[in-house]
Amino acid sequence: MNERSAAATVSVRVAAAPAVAFDLFTRDLDLWWRRGPKYRHAGHHGGTITIEPRQGGRVYERWRDERGEQQFEIGSVLCWEPPQRLAWSWRNATFAPVERTEVEVTFAAAGDGTLVTVRHRGWEALRDDHPARHGHVGAAFARFLGLWWGEQLTALRERTASG
């Protein structure tokens, strides 16, 4: 791994079969995805985040603020293979039109539950001082990104446990 690759891989075990975990991850995304400016473009304005359930579908966030209805397209679904795998392109609001990274999520049976693994890669294409890096480079950025995804997957695990 070179200093700029900065990919993150995070896993969590959830108490659900792979098909249920996949469904909760995708269909119920807005119910478990954390809220607030650290996790959503809408910040404190609420709104919804959605994955259109098909290859080529959009991943987007929609909200209302003082300017009216807003929408930000995070990316598009690159792989839709329920209940084993999902991947989508990822863009932050600070990305130039040609900049993108990729999120891949796998769902593997693990005893009476599922191991959900997120791999977020492609960050090496963004310069070291890119705003989306929040001042982190290399291994420090990979840790930063891993912690962010860890918080998200903890929310998924909690949602799965609550039914």
Side-chain angles (χ1 to χ4, degrees):
M1 174 170 124
N2 67 39
E3 181 62 16
R4 293 196 59 216
S5 63
T9 301
V10 179
S11 297
V12 67
R13 188 179 175 286
V14 298
V20 173
F22 187 95
D23 194 46
L24 287 169
F25 191 102
T26 57
R27 187 195 62 197
D28 290 350
L29 180 69
D30 187 62
L31 299 177
W32 64 264
W33 194 274
R34 293 189 183 272
R35 299 188 182 279
K38 183 176 178 181
Y39 305 102
R40 296 189 184 220
H41 294 92
H44 297 292
H45 294 289
T48 58
I49 186 167
T50 304
I51 296 177
E52 294 177 338
R54 66 183 185 285
Q55 189 164 339
R58 296 176 307 146
V59 180
Y60 64 94
E61 189 174 344
R62 187 177 287 159
W63 69 96
R64 176 179 283 286
D65 63 17
E66 58 280 350
R67 297 170 297 171
E69 288 290 327
Q70 304 295 321
Q71 181 171 295
F72 180 78
E73 190 164 319
I74 298 163
S76 62
V77 176
L78 304 170
C79 172
W80 184 263
E81 298 173 358
Q84 296 91 14
R85 187 170 169 256
L86 163 71
W88 70 89
S89 59
W90 177 282
R91 294 190 66 251
N92 185 296
T94 61
F95 283 24
V98 297
E99 294 176 324
R100 73 174 201 151
T101 59
E102 183 178 305
V103 176
E104 177 185 32
V105 188
T106 57
F107 302 82
D112 61 352
T114 300
L115 185 66
V116 180
T117 301
V118 171
R119 291 176 186 86
H120 195 160
R121 58 184 168 254
W123 293 93
E124 65 277 0
L126 291 124
R127 65 186 193 277
D128 289 346
D129 66 344
H130 194 286
R133 290 180 175 274
H134 299 278
H136 303 287
V137 179
F141 180 70
R143 279 190 302 277
F144 171 81
L145 186 60
L147 289 170
W148 188 90
W149 276 109
E151 292 168 356
Q152 293 288 48
L153 290 183
T154 296
L156 173 66
R157 181 180 49 76
E158 291 167 350
R159 175 71 184 177
T160 304
S162 71

